Amino acid sequence: VECLRIKEHQPQQAKEAITMVLNERIQRPVSAEEVLILYGSSMQWLDIVFRQAIIKSLHEDFRQSGYAKQPIVIAPAGAFKCGGYFPHANGGKLHYIPTQLSNNYKLTADLLEKEIQEIESDGLKKVVCFILETPSALGQNFTQEELSQIANVLVQYPYILWVQDGYNLGTEHDGILNPSLADCPEIAMQGCTISSFRRDWGGAASYANVSAFHTFNLELLREISKQCSETYFYTHLPFSDLQSVATNVIAENMISSGFLGENQIYFKQQLTEYVRCVEDT
C-alpha cells in the first residue's frame, strides 16, 4: 500500500529499470540521474529535443550577430520518426539527407558531411540537430566502424546536437550488433538517446505509454528537463496520477524480477490490476 501512494513526476523505480536496459546497450556506465521519463510516445522527445536545439541556436546566433540563421534539422531519407512537422512547429525546417542504392540506402559519413556543408554554404542556414534511427527504415544496423565515421563528422560541428532513436539498440541483424553513438567518446557529450523500449518493455511501453531520454551531458539534461511536462500534444490521453503510481510499481517489480518472462499481456494485466487496487485504496 505504501508503494501505491508514491506520486512522482520522475518515478525512481522506473528510472532504475530503464537504466538497467541502457547499461546493456551502452558500453559507458549509465546512471539513473542521467535519465528522464516522459509519459507518452518517444516522438514527444523529438519535439522537446528539436525545440531545445532550435531555441538555443536562435538565441546564440542573434546574440552574436544580431540576426538568427534558419535552424535546420537533418535526418537520413526514410527516417519516419521525424514526423516532418516537428521542426517546423518549433520554428525550424526539416531536411532529409538523400541516400544511395550503392550503399543499400544507408547513411554514410561522406553523405552526412556533404549535406551539412551544402546547407551551411547558405550563410542564412545552420544545421542544429541530426537524428539517426537505429535500425534504419529498411531494418539495417550500423557497424561500430560506420558510427565512428559518422562521429568523426559530427565532432567537427560541436553545435549540432545528435539524437539517436535507439528503440532497438543492442539487437542483432544480419550478424551486426546495433551500437550506440554514445559509445563514440569524441561525441558522447554532444547528444542524447531516446527510446520507447518496446522491445524490452512490451506492453509497458505501448499500454502505459512510457518513453525515456538519456544523455551524459548534464547541462543538456537540465535544459531538457525544463521542457518536460506530463502532458504533450502527441499523447493520446493525459497520463494520470493513477497511471503514474501504477507504472512506478510495475517498474519496481520489473527490477526485482530481472525482466524474466515478461510480455505484453502481463504488463497490461498488471497495470489494470494496480489501477484497480489504487482506486479501491
Side-chain angles (χ1 to χ4, degrees), residues 6 8 11 39 230 239-249:
I6 298 174
E8 300 175 280
Y39 303 129
E230 295 191 24
F239 205 83
S240 67
D241 285 341
L242 203 57
Q243 289 171 305
S244 302
V245 173
T247 303
N248 203 38
V249 178

Side-chain angles (χ1 to χ4, degrees), residues 60-162:
E60 290 179 349
D61 290 341
F62 187 81
R63 184 182 61 202
Q64 292 172 8
S65 58
Y67 72 96
K69 298 178 181 179
Q70 183 182 37
I72 308 293
V73 174
I74 59 175
F80 88 97
K81 273 295 188 76
C82 283
Y85 70 92
F86 283 117
H88 296 279
N90 292 308
K93 183 178 180 181
L94 176 64
H95 179 92
Y96 284 116
I97 305 170
T99 51
Q100 301 171 346
L101 174 61
S102 59
N103 199 53
N104 295 320
Y105 297 105
K106 186 191 287 187
L107 177 70
T108 64
D110 290 341
L111 286 173
L112 175 61
E113 186 161 29
K114 176 176 177 290
E115 210 64 22
I116 294 174
Q117 291 177 353
E118 287 188 2
I119 291 171
E120 298 198 342
S121 64
D122 181 345
L124 299 179
K125 296 179 179 179
K126 178 182 178 182
V127 178
V128 300
C129 194
F130 163 67
I131 181 170
L132 183 67
E133 289 180 16
T134 52
S136 70
L138 296 181
Q140 304 159 323
N141 276 346
F142 291 83
T143 65
Q144 187 62 61
E145 181 181 357
E146 288 170 334
L147 281 193
S148 294
Q149 292 171 353
I150 289 174
N152 288 336
V153 173
L154 294 174
V155 77
Q156 301 175 54
Y157 305 92
Y159 52 85
I160 296 179
L161 171 65
W162 62 260

Side-chain angles (χ1 to χ4, degrees), residues 158-176:
Y159 52 85
I160 296 179
L161 171 65
W162 62 260
V163 185
Q164 186 166 2
D165 189 343
Y167 57 97
N168 273 333
L169 281 177
T171 58
E172 186 173 310
H173 292 278
D174 297 326
I176 301 175

Side-chain angles (χ1 to χ4, degrees), residues 8-9 15 23 33 68 86 96 115 146 173 231 250 266:
E8 300 175 280
H9 178 54
K15 290 177 65 172
N23 275 311
E33 288 69 32
F86 283 117
Y96 284 116
E115 210 64 22
E146 288 170 334
H173 292 278
T231 306
I250 292 172
Y266 168 81

